[in-house]
Amino acid sequence: MSILQVNKLKKSFEQLEVLKQISFDVEKNDVVAVIGPSGSGKSTMLRSLIHLEEIDGGSITVNGDYLVNEGTYTSPKQIKQITSRMGMVFQHFNLFPHLTVVENLELAPKLVKEGNAHQNRKDSMELLEKVGLSDKANALPGKLSGGQKQRVAIARALMRKPDILLFDEPTSALDPELTGEVLTVIKDLAKEQMTMVIVTHEMEFARDVANKVLFMDNGEIVESGPPVDVLINPKMERTKKFLYRTKL
């Protein structure tokens, strides 16, 4: 069974139709790269998966449980339970500036009374080690580079042991020299078979790390499949034009 099923997702902002009948599945251990021009609906689609945007129609199922079924959402309690199985990494980090790195990681478990202080500290230090930042545990975010902040954000998203990680253009706010350190962490997660959906402009990364690629344009999935099909041998003219501009 798919870990995530999206069926005929629709979303409009007033008269602007942003998502038009979006459908795709994510299997356990998939790394799905979502590519396409700016304004094509990629981020709105991703945010709808974790209920940061409410959709107007369609269904989203996580591990067999409906988050929303044909436009009707489940109960607030169920929404909280279902979305807790997913972690989100944002474009602009969204770290709390007044909390240390380790406090940022431990805030969510503390708020939902998950684990004890000793276990949470153990988990947070292990995750900071994983992303190469154990020496920054007591630093404030303002003392970190953009790449370090994003690695902290990835560690924070992993704190509650999610079934699936969602990334919304995780490197687009970074200088090119800092992009590599964040992509390395994501590549390591892929090797560990973490299930991920990644909205990205990094075409080489999508080609090398993803096992599925979705190309979106104008609120639609124009083409989808393995990277070799979508990125190397695309069938659709819209995909070909986009890839030509990116010079993959």
Side-chain angles (χ1 to χ4, degrees):
M1 185 174 66
S2 300
I3 194 169
L4 175 68
Q5 291 178 297
V6 178
N7 189 41
K8 297 182 179 178
L9 221 59
K10 294 191 292 183
K11 172 70 177 178
S12 296
F13 293 111
E14 295 181 349
Q15 302 305 310
L16 179 64
E17 198 175 10
V18 181
L19 301 177
K20 307 169 185 175
Q21 305 285 339
I22 296 288
S23 297
F24 65 94
D25 289 355
V26 178
E27 305 295 327
K28 187 174 171 57
N29 305 330
D30 273 350
V31 178
V32 180
V34 185
I35 65 169
S38 296
S40 58
K42 305 184 301 296
S43 292
T44 300
M45 180 276 291
L46 194 76
R47 290 168 62 84
S48 71
L49 301 182
I50 200 164
H51 197 232
L52 293 175
E53 296 282 359
E54 287 210 353
I55 61 163
D56 301 323
S59 303
I60 300 169
T61 311
V62 182
N63 275 336
D65 294 327
Y66 278 108
L67 175 67
V68 53
N69 186 9
E70 296 183 1
T72 301
Y73 280 88
T74 186
S75 68
K77 183 179 179 183
Q78 277 288 97
I79 288 172
K80 198 173 280 188
Q81 288 176 349
I82 292 167
T83 56
S84 72
R85 302 173 200 163
M86 295 182 275
M88 182 87 171
V89 179
F90 299 91
Q91 183 176 342
H92 292 290
F93 328 129
N94 289 2
L95 300 178
F96 290 99
H98 62 291
L99 299 179
T100 65
V101 164
V102 76
E103 286 169 343
N104 266 280
L105 265 65
E106 293 171 2
L107 182 61
K110 187 183 292 185
L111 288 175
V112 298
K113 298 180 171 58
E114 202 169 62
N116 56 49
H118 174 75
Q119 185 61 51
N120 289 338
R121 181 54 51 96
K122 182 173 180 290
D123 290 347
S124 62
M125 292 308 298
E126 285 176 358
L127 286 170
L128 288 174
E129 179 75 30
K130 182 193 282 281
V131 300
L133 290 172
S134 53
D135 61 325
K136 301 293 185 183
N138 296 311
L140 290 170
K143 299 293 185 182
L144 305 180
S145 70
Q148 289 171 331
K149 288 176 186 175
Q150 194 60 294
R151 284 188 281 154
V152 171
I154 293 170
R156 179 183 60 183
L158 290 166
M159 264 300 279
R160 298 187 66 196
K161 302 174 176 61
D163 296 327
I164 183 168
L165 265 187
L166 310 175
F167 292 84
D168 189 7
E169 299 189 14
T171 61
S172 65
L174 303 178
D175 295 334
E177 63 192 76
L178 300 176
T179 294
E181 64 189 57
V182 174
L183 294 182
T184 296
V185 170
I186 300 174
K187 287 176 183 176
D188 289 344
L189 290 172
K191 287 175 189 170
E192 295 170 13
Q193 298 192 304
M194 183 77 208
T195 307
M196 295 184 279
V197 179
I198 307 168
V199 172
T200 184
H201 287 297
E202 301 287 339
M203 296 300 112
E204 287 185 21
F205 170 76
R207 181 190 64 198
D208 296 342
V209 177
N211 67 308
K212 293 180 183 177
V213 176
L214 309 179
F215 170 63
M216 286 183 66
D217 191 20
N218 195 30
E220 301 173 303
I221 295 177
V222 176
E223 192 162 353
S224 64
V228 68
D229 291 347
V230 179
L231 298 175
I232 310 300
N233 301 301
K235 297 180 179 64
M236 306 300 291
E237 199 58 39
R238 283 157 79 185
T239 317
K240 291 176 184 177
K241 285 181 179 177
F242 172 76
L243 293 171
Y244 177 76
R245 290 198 300 271
T246 63
K247 296 180 172 58
L248 180 65

